[in-house]
Structures are given as structure tokens and as C-alpha cells.
Amino acid sequence: MRRIEGQARGIAKMMEDDRYCIDILNQMAAIEAALRSAKAKVLSIHAGHCIEEAVQSGDARDQREKFNELIDLFGKVRR
């Protein structure tokens, strides 16, 4: 996230300096890729921790809740 933050500051500076639009767009694409990667990592952590915990608990209600959260997350991550 710190890298993404640095990239965003870099883009702001590029815009202030009136840099070439294509260069700015390329940097924006790099940020989007980094965000997609970060979202995938957080989703993986969630699946590996929260979902596993619900499965091991044996609590059917908690399992359904976590499963539904996971389905919602897949939809949001795709955007």
C-alpha cells in the first residue's frame, strides 16, 4: 500500500508538472494493477483465515454468513 501511495503522489506531481498524458495514464494503469494485486492478497487472507475458522467451528449459520461474504467479495474484487 505504501508503494501505491507513492505512485499516487508521483501521478499528482506529474499532473502538476503538465507531463505527457500517456505517461500519466501508464502510471495510473500501474496503480490499478497494484490495487488488483493487493485486493487479491487480502481476499486470499480472508479465505484462509476467516472462512477456515467458520468451517472449523461447525456453526452452519456462521459458515453461510462467511460464504455469502466471500461471494460478495468476489463480485467487488472483479470491479
Side-chain angles (χ1 to χ4, degrees), residues 37-58:
S37 177
K39 287 192 305 188
K41 181 66 175 174
V42 172
L43 181 58
S44 174
I45 290 167
H46 176 69
H49 174 56
C50 298
I51 302 300
E52 180 180 354
E53 196 174 273
V55 168
Q56 290 177 351
S57 75

mmCIF file with all atom_site columns, all heavy atoms in Angstrom, residues 37-58:
data_model
loop_
_atom_site.group_PDB
_atom_site.id
_atom_site.type_symbol
_atom_site.label_atom_id
_atom_site.label_alt_id
_atom_site.label_comp_id
_atom_site.label_asym_id
_atom_site.label_entity_id
_atom_site.label_seq_id
_atom_site.pdbx_PDB_ins_code
_atom_site.Cartn_x
_atom_site.Cartn_y
_atom_site.Cartn_z
_atom_site.occupancy
_atom_site.B_iso_or_equiv
_atom_site.pdbx_formal_charge
_atom_site.auth_seq_id
_atom_site.auth_comp_id
_atom_site.auth_asym_id
_atom_site.auth_atom_id
_atom_site.pdbx_PDB_model_num
ATOM 1   N N   . SER A 1 37 ? -3.730  -6.516  -7.306 1.00 0.00 ? 37 SER A N   1
ATOM 2   C CA  . SER A 1 37 ? -2.872  -7.472  -6.608 1.00 0.00 ? 37 SER A CA  1
ATOM 3   C C   . SER A 1 37 ? -3.102  -7.417  -5.101 1.00 0.00 ? 37 SER A C   1
ATOM 4   O O   . SER A 1 37 ? -3.191  -8.458  -4.435 1.00 0.00 ? 37 SER A O   1
ATOM 5   C CB  . SER A 1 37 ? -1.406  -7.175  -6.930 1.00 0.00 ? 37 SER A CB  1
ATOM 6   O OG  . SER A 1 37 ? -0.554  -8.025  -6.222 1.00 0.00 ? 37 SER A OG  1
ATOM 7   N N   . ALA A 1 38 ? -3.219  -6.226  -4.548 1.00 0.00 ? 38 ALA A N   1
ATOM 8   C CA  . ALA A 1 38 ? -3.462  -6.065  -3.108 1.00 0.00 ? 38 ALA A CA  1
ATOM 9   C C   . ALA A 1 38 ? -4.825  -6.631  -2.728 1.00 0.00 ? 38 ALA A C   1
ATOM 10  O O   . ALA A 1 38 ? -4.959  -7.304  -1.692 1.00 0.00 ? 38 ALA A O   1
ATOM 11  C CB  . ALA A 1 38 ? -3.353  -4.592  -2.716 1.00 0.00 ? 38 ALA A CB  1
ATOM 12  N N   . LYS A 1 39 ? -5.839  -6.375  -3.558 1.00 0.00 ? 39 LYS A N   1
ATOM 13  C CA  . LYS A 1 39 ? -7.171  -6.921  -3.275 1.00 0.00 ? 39 LYS A CA  1
ATOM 14  C C   . LYS A 1 39 ? -7.146  -8.440  -3.283 1.00 0.00 ? 39 LYS A C   1
ATOM 15  O O   . LYS A 1 39 ? -7.755  -9.084  -2.427 1.00 0.00 ? 39 LYS A O   1
ATOM 16  C CB  . LYS A 1 39 ? -8.202  -6.400  -4.285 1.00 0.00 ? 39 LYS A CB  1
ATOM 17  C CG  . LYS A 1 39 ? -8.565  -4.951  -4.075 1.00 0.00 ? 39 LYS A CG  1
ATOM 18  C CD  . LYS A 1 39 ? -9.773  -4.494  -4.862 1.00 0.00 ? 39 LYS A CD  1
ATOM 19  C CE  . LYS A 1 39 ? -9.769  -4.698  -6.316 1.00 0.00 ? 39 LYS A CE  1
ATOM 20  N NZ  . LYS A 1 39 ? -10.894 -4.063  -7.027 1.00 0.00 ? 39 LYS A NZ  1
ATOM 21  N N   . ALA A 1 40 ? -6.435  -9.028  -4.236 1.00 0.00 ? 40 ALA A N   1
ATOM 22  C CA  . ALA A 1 40 ? -6.347  -10.491 -4.304 1.00 0.00 ? 40 ALA A CA  1
ATOM 23  C C   . ALA A 1 40 ? -5.665  -11.048 -3.068 1.00 0.00 ? 40 ALA A C   1
ATOM 24  O O   . ALA A 1 40 ? -6.074  -12.086 -2.532 1.00 0.00 ? 40 ALA A O   1
ATOM 25  C CB  . ALA A 1 40 ? -5.602  -10.911 -5.568 1.00 0.00 ? 40 ALA A CB  1
ATOM 26  N N   . LYS A 1 41 ? -4.650  -10.362 -2.579 1.00 0.00 ? 41 LYS A N   1
ATOM 27  C CA  . LYS A 1 41 ? -3.936  -10.818 -1.387 1.00 0.00 ? 41 LYS A CA  1
ATOM 28  C C   . LYS A 1 41 ? -4.842  -10.771 -0.161 1.00 0.00 ? 41 LYS A C   1
ATOM 29  O O   . LYS A 1 41 ? -4.892  -11.722 0.631  1.00 0.00 ? 41 LYS A O   1
ATOM 30  C CB  . LYS A 1 41 ? -2.683  -9.959  -1.170 1.00 0.00 ? 41 LYS A CB  1
ATOM 31  C CG  . LYS A 1 41 ? -1.866  -10.349 0.020  1.00 0.00 ? 41 LYS A CG  1
ATOM 32  C CD  . LYS A 1 41 ? -1.254  -11.714 -0.171 1.00 0.00 ? 41 LYS A CD  1
ATOM 33  C CE  . LYS A 1 41 ? -0.342  -12.042 0.996  1.00 0.00 ? 41 LYS A CE  1
ATOM 34  N NZ  . LYS A 1 41 ? 0.158   -13.404 0.930  1.00 0.00 ? 41 LYS A NZ  1
ATOM 35  N N   . VAL A 1 42 ? -5.570  -9.685  0.006  1.00 0.00 ? 42 VAL A N   1
ATOM 36  C CA  . VAL A 1 42 ? -6.483  -9.559  1.152  1.00 0.00 ? 42 VAL A CA  1
ATOM 37  C C   . VAL A 1 42 ? -7.587  -10.605 1.058  1.00 0.00 ? 42 VAL A C   1
ATOM 38  O O   . VAL A 1 42 ? -7.954  -11.226 2.067  1.00 0.00 ? 42 VAL A O   1
ATOM 39  C CB  . VAL A 1 42 ? -7.060  -8.128  1.245  1.00 0.00 ? 42 VAL A CB  1
ATOM 40  C CG1 . VAL A 1 42 ? -8.146  -8.048  2.305  1.00 0.00 ? 42 VAL A CG1 1
ATOM 41  C CG2 . VAL A 1 42 ? -5.944  -7.133  1.558  1.00 0.00 ? 42 VAL A CG2 1
ATOM 42  N N   . LEU A 1 43 ? -8.097  -10.841 -0.131 1.00 0.00 ? 43 LEU A N   1
ATOM 43  C CA  . LEU A 1 43 ? -9.126  -11.863 -0.326 1.00 0.00 ? 43 LEU A CA  1
ATOM 44  C C   . LEU A 1 43 ? -8.585  -13.243 0.052  1.00 0.00 ? 43 LEU A C   1
ATOM 45  O O   . LEU A 1 43 ? -9.256  -14.031 0.715  1.00 0.00 ? 43 LEU A O   1
ATOM 46  C CB  . LEU A 1 43 ? -9.615  -11.852 -1.767 1.00 0.00 ? 43 LEU A CB  1
ATOM 47  C CG  . LEU A 1 43 ? -10.708 -12.840 -2.133 1.00 0.00 ? 43 LEU A CG  1
ATOM 48  C CD1 . LEU A 1 43 ? -11.947 -12.639 -1.267 1.00 0.00 ? 43 LEU A CD1 1
ATOM 49  C CD2 . LEU A 1 43 ? -11.058 -12.700 -3.597 1.00 0.00 ? 43 LEU A CD2 1
ATOM 50  N N   . SER A 1 44 ? -7.358  -13.511 -0.333 1.00 0.00 ? 44 SER A N   1
ATOM 51  C CA  . SER A 1 44 ? -6.721  -14.780 -0.001 1.00 0.00 ? 44 SER A CA  1
ATOM 52  C C   . SER A 1 44 ? -6.560  -14.940 1.509  1.00 0.00 ? 44 SER A C   1
ATOM 53  O O   . SER A 1 44 ? -6.816  -16.014 2.063  1.00 0.00 ? 44 SER A O   1
ATOM 54  C CB  . SER A 1 44 ? -5.352  -14.861 -0.684 1.00 0.00 ? 44 SER A CB  1
ATOM 55  O OG  . SER A 1 44 ? -4.663  -16.010 -0.285 1.00 0.00 ? 44 SER A OG  1
ATOM 56  N N   . ILE A 1 45 ? -6.156  -13.878 2.170  1.00 0.00 ? 45 ILE A N   1
ATOM 57  C CA  . ILE A 1 45 ? -6.014  -13.912 3.631  1.00 0.00 ? 45 ILE A CA  1
ATOM 58  C C   . ILE A 1 45 ? -7.373  -14.158 4.274  1.00 0.00 ? 45 ILE A C   1
ATOM 59  O O   . ILE A 1 45 ? -7.496  -14.967 5.196  1.00 0.00 ? 45 ILE A O   1
ATOM 60  C CB  . ILE A 1 45 ? -5.382  -12.600 4.142  1.00 0.00 ? 45 ILE A CB  1
ATOM 61  C CG1 . ILE A 1 45 ? -3.912  -12.527 3.713  1.00 0.00 ? 45 ILE A CG1 1
ATOM 62  C CG2 . ILE A 1 45 ? -5.520  -12.488 5.664  1.00 0.00 ? 45 ILE A CG2 1
ATOM 63  C CD1 . ILE A 1 45 ? -3.285  -11.159 3.901  1.00 0.00 ? 45 ILE A CD1 1
ATOM 64  N N   . HIS A 1 46 ? -8.393  -13.481 3.770  1.00 0.00 ? 46 HIS A N   1
ATOM 65  C CA  . HIS A 1 46 ? -9.740  -13.658 4.316  1.00 0.00 ? 46 HIS A CA  1
ATOM 66  C C   . HIS A 1 46 ? -10.188 -15.112 4.152  1.00 0.00 ? 46 HIS A C   1
ATOM 67  O O   . HIS A 1 46 ? -10.678 -15.727 5.097  1.00 0.00 ? 46 HIS A O   1
ATOM 68  C CB  . HIS A 1 46 ? -10.730 -12.726 3.616  1.00 0.00 ? 46 HIS A CB  1
ATOM 69  C CG  . HIS A 1 46 ? -12.145 -12.922 4.055  1.00 0.00 ? 46 HIS A CG  1
ATOM 70  N ND1 . HIS A 1 46 ? -12.580 -12.588 5.307  1.00 0.00 ? 46 HIS A ND1 1
ATOM 71  C CD2 . HIS A 1 46 ? -13.210 -13.439 3.394  1.00 0.00 ? 46 HIS A CD2 1
ATOM 72  C CE1 . HIS A 1 46 ? -13.870 -12.900 5.411  1.00 0.00 ? 46 HIS A CE1 1
ATOM 73  N NE2 . HIS A 1 46 ? -14.279 -13.414 4.255  1.00 0.00 ? 46 HIS A NE2 1
ATOM 74  N N   . ALA A 1 47 ? -9.992  -15.647 2.967  1.00 0.00 ? 47 ALA A N   1
ATOM 75  C CA  . ALA A 1 47 ? -10.407 -17.031 2.713  1.00 0.00 ? 47 ALA A CA  1
ATOM 76  C C   . ALA A 1 47 ? -9.624  -17.999 3.586  1.00 0.00 ? 47 ALA A C   1
ATOM 77  O O   . ALA A 1 47 ? -10.177 -18.951 4.126  1.00 0.00 ? 47 ALA A O   1
ATOM 78  C CB  . ALA A 1 47 ? -10.238 -17.369 1.243  1.00 0.00 ? 47 ALA A CB  1
ATOM 79  N N   . GLY A 1 48 ? -8.350  -17.739 3.742  1.00 0.00 ? 48 GLY A N   1
ATOM 80  C CA  . GLY A 1 48 ? -7.504  -18.637 4.507  1.00 0.00 ? 48 GLY A CA  1
ATOM 81  C C   . GLY A 1 48 ? -7.706  -18.547 6.003  1.00 0.00 ? 48 GLY A C   1
ATOM 82  O O   . GLY A 1 48 ? -7.390  -19.482 6.739  1.00 0.00 ? 48 GLY A O   1
ATOM 83  N N   . HIS A 1 49 ? -8.231  -17.449 6.477  1.00 0.00 ? 49 HIS A N   1
ATOM 84  C CA  . HIS A 1 49 ? -8.376  -17.264 7.918  1.00 0.00 ? 49 HIS A CA  1
ATOM 85  C C   . HIS A 1 49 ? -9.845  -17.314 8.342  1.00 0.00 ? 49 HIS A C   1
ATOM 86  O O   . HIS A 1 49 ? -10.257 -18.215 9.059  1.00 0.00 ? 49 HIS A O   1
ATOM 87  C CB  . HIS A 1 49 ? -7.741  -15.938 8.335  1.00 0.00 ? 49 HIS A CB  1
ATOM 88  C CG  . HIS A 1 49 ? -7.960  -15.571 9.765  1.00 0.00 ? 49 HIS A CG  1
ATOM 89  N ND1 . HIS A 1 49 ? -7.600  -16.380 10.808 1.00 0.00 ? 49 HIS A ND1 1
ATOM 90  C CD2 . HIS A 1 49 ? -8.531  -14.492 10.331 1.00 0.00 ? 49 HIS A CD2 1
ATOM 91  C CE1 . HIS A 1 49 ? -7.934  -15.810 11.951 1.00 0.00 ? 49 HIS A CE1 1
ATOM 92  N NE2 . HIS A 1 49 ? -8.501  -14.657 11.682 1.00 0.00 ? 49 HIS A NE2 1
ATOM 93  N N   . CYS A 1 50 ? -10.605 -16.365 7.896  1.00 0.00 ? 50 CYS A N   1
ATOM 94  C CA  . CYS A 1 50 ? -11.998 -16.238 8.337  1.00 0.00 ? 50 CYS A CA  1
ATOM 95  C C   . CYS A 1 50 ? -12.864 -17.406 7.872  1.00 0.00 ? 50 CYS A C   1
ATOM 96  O O   . CYS A 1 50 ? -13.659 -17.941 8.643  1.00 0.00 ? 50 CYS A O   1
ATOM 97  C CB  . CYS A 1 50 ? -12.592 -14.918 7.863  1.00 0.00 ? 50 CYS A CB  1
ATOM 98  S SG  . CYS A 1 50 ? -11.736 -13.479 8.534  1.00 0.00 ? 50 CYS A SG  1
ATOM 99  N N   . ILE A 1 51 ? -12.713 -17.781 6.624  1.00 0.00 ? 51 ILE A N   1
ATOM 100 C CA  . ILE A 1 51 ? -13.521 -18.878 6.091  1.00 0.00 ? 51 ILE A CA  1
ATOM 101 C C   . ILE A 1 51 ? -13.127 -20.197 6.765  1.00 0.00 ? 51 ILE A C   1
ATOM 102 O O   . ILE A 1 51 ? -13.985 -20.968 7.194  1.00 0.00 ? 51 ILE A O   1
ATOM 103 C CB  . ILE A 1 51 ? -13.375 -18.994 4.557  1.00 0.00 ? 51 ILE A CB  1
ATOM 104 C CG1 . ILE A 1 51 ? -13.780 -17.693 3.866  1.00 0.00 ? 51 ILE A CG1 1
ATOM 105 C CG2 . ILE A 1 51 ? -14.164 -20.185 4.027  1.00 0.00 ? 51 ILE A CG2 1
ATOM 106 C CD1 . ILE A 1 51 ? -15.211 -17.259 4.100  1.00 0.00 ? 51 ILE A CD1 1
ATOM 107 N N   . GLU A 1 52 ? -11.845 -20.430 6.875  1.00 0.00 ? 52 GLU A N   1
ATOM 108 C CA  . GLU A 1 52 ? -11.372 -21.654 7.531  1.00 0.00 ? 52 GLU A CA  1
ATOM 109 C C   . GLU A 1 52 ? -11.885 -21.738 8.967  1.00 0.00 ? 52 GLU A C   1
ATOM 110 O O   . GLU A 1 52 ? -12.316 -22.791 9.430  1.00 0.00 ? 52 GLU A O   1
ATOM 111 C CB  . GLU A 1 52 ? -9.846  -21.706 7.518  1.00 0.00 ? 52 GLU A CB  1
ATOM 112 C CG  . GLU A 1 52 ? -9.281  -22.945 8.169  1.00 0.00 ? 52 GLU A CG  1
ATOM 113 C CD  . GLU A 1 52 ? -7.766  -22.978 8.150  1.00 0.00 ? 52 GLU A CD  1
ATOM 114 O OE1 . GLU A 1 52 ? -7.132  -22.092 7.538  1.00 0.00 ? 52 GLU A OE1 1
ATOM 115 O OE2 . GLU A 1 52 ? -7.211  -23.903 8.755  1.00 0.00 ? 52 GLU A OE2 1
ATOM 116 N N   . GLU A 1 53 ? -11.854 -20.610 9.663  1.00 0.00 ? 53 GLU A N   1
ATOM 117 C CA  . GLU A 1 53 ? -12.337 -20.561 11.043 1.00 0.00 ? 53 GLU A CA  1
ATOM 118 C C   . GLU A 1 53 ? -13.825 -20.930 11.115 1.00 0.00 ? 53 GLU A C   1
ATOM 119 O O   . GLU A 1 53 ? -14.245 -21.680 11.996 1.00 0.00 ? 53 GLU A O   1
ATOM 120 C CB  . GLU A 1 53 ? -12.113 -19.155 11.598 1.00 0.00 ? 53 GLU A CB  1
ATOM 121 C CG  . GLU A 1 53 ? -12.200 -19.031 13.091 1.00 0.00 ? 53 GLU A CG  1
ATOM 122 C CD  . GLU A 1 53 ? -11.810 -17.630 13.522 1.00 0.00 ? 53 GLU A CD  1
ATOM 123 O OE1 . GLU A 1 53 ? -10.606 -17.393 13.715 1.00 0.00 ? 53 GLU A OE1 1
ATOM 124 O OE2 . GLU A 1 53 ? -12.711 -16.773 13.651 1.00 0.00 ? 53 GLU A OE2 1
ATOM 125 N N   . ALA A 1 54 ? -14.614 -20.422 10.184 1.00 0.00 ? 54 ALA A N   1
ATOM 126 C CA  . ALA A 1 54 ? -16.049 -20.722 10.165 1.00 0.00 ? 54 ALA A CA  1
ATOM 127 C C   . ALA A 1 54 ? -16.293 -22.202 9.881  1.00 0.00 ? 54 ALA A C   1
ATOM 128 O O   . ALA A 1 54 ? -17.156 -22.824 10.493 1.00 0.00 ? 54 ALA A O   1
ATOM 129 C CB  . ALA A 1 54 ? -16.760 -19.859 9.128  1.00 0.00 ? 54 ALA A CB  1
ATOM 130 N N   . VAL A 1 55 ? -15.522 -22.762 8.961  1.00 0.00 ? 55 VAL A N   1
ATOM 131 C CA  . VAL A 1 55 ? -15.680 -24.178 8.633  1.00 0.00 ? 55 VAL A CA  1
ATOM 132 C C   . VAL A 1 55 ? -15.340 -25.040 9.844  1.00 0.00 ? 55 VAL A C   1
ATOM 133 O O   . VAL A 1 55 ? -16.067 -25.972 10.188 1.00 0.00 ? 55 VAL A O   1
ATOM 134 C CB  . VAL A 1 55 ? -14.811 -24.559 7.413  1.00 0.00 ? 55 VAL A CB  1
ATOM 135 C CG1 . VAL A 1 55 ? -14.731 -26.064 7.235  1.00 0.00 ? 55 VAL A CG1 1
ATOM 136 C CG2 . VAL A 1 55 ? -15.339 -23.884 6.159  1.00 0.00 ? 55 VAL A CG2 1
ATOM 137 N N   . GLN A 1 56 ? -14.245 -24.700 10.509 1.00 0.00 ? 56 GLN A N   1
ATOM 138 C CA  . GLN A 1 56 ? -13.819 -25.485 11.664 1.00 0.00 ? 56 GLN A CA  1
ATOM 139 C C   . GLN A 1 56 ? -14.760 -25.335 12.857 1.00 0.00 ? 56 GLN A C   1
ATOM 140 O O   . GLN A 1 56 ? -14.847 -26.233 13.686 1.00 0.00 ? 56 GLN A O   1
ATOM 141 C CB  . GLN A 1 56 ? -12.393 -25.108 12.073 1.00 0.00 ? 56 GLN A CB  1
ATOM 142 C CG  . GLN A 1 56 ? -11.360 -25.574 11.074 1.00 0.00 ? 56 GLN A CG  1
ATOM 143 C CD  . GLN A 1 56 ? -9.950  -25.147 11.439 1.00 0.00 ? 56 GLN A CD  1
ATOM 144 O OE1 . GLN A 1 56 ? -9.741  -24.366 12.351 1.00 0.00 ? 56 GLN A OE1 1
ATOM 145 N NE2 . GLN A 1 56 ? -8.973  -25.678 10.711 1.00 0.00 ? 56 GLN A NE2 1
ATOM 146 N N   . SER A 1 57 ? -15.475 -24.232 12.917 1.00 0.00 ? 57 SER A N   1
ATOM 147 C CA  . SER A 1 57 ? -16.370 -24.002 14.048 1.00 0.00 ? 57 SER A CA  1
ATOM 148 C C   . SER A 1 57 ? -17.563 -24.959 14.049 1.00 0.00 ? 57 SER A C   1
ATOM 149 O O   . SER A 1 57 ? -18.140 -25.234 15.093 1.00 0.00 ? 57 SER A O   1
ATOM 150 C CB  . SER A 1 57 ? -16.891 -22.556 14.040 1.00 0.00 ? 57 SER A CB  1
ATOM 151 O OG  . SER A 1 57 ? -17.884 -22.385 13.037 1.00 0.00 ? 57 SER A OG  1
ATOM 152 N N   . GLY A 1 58 ? -17.950 -25.421 12.853 1.00 0.00 ? 58 GLY A N   1
ATOM 153 C CA  . GLY A 1 58 ? -19.115 -26.288 12.748 1.00 0.00 ? 58 GLY A CA  1
ATOM 154 C C   . GLY A 1 58 ? -20.432 -25.539 12.841 1.00 0.00 ? 58 GLY A C   1
ATOM 155 O O   . GLY A 1 58 ? -21.498 -26.132 12.777 1.00 0.00 ? 58 GLY A O   1
#
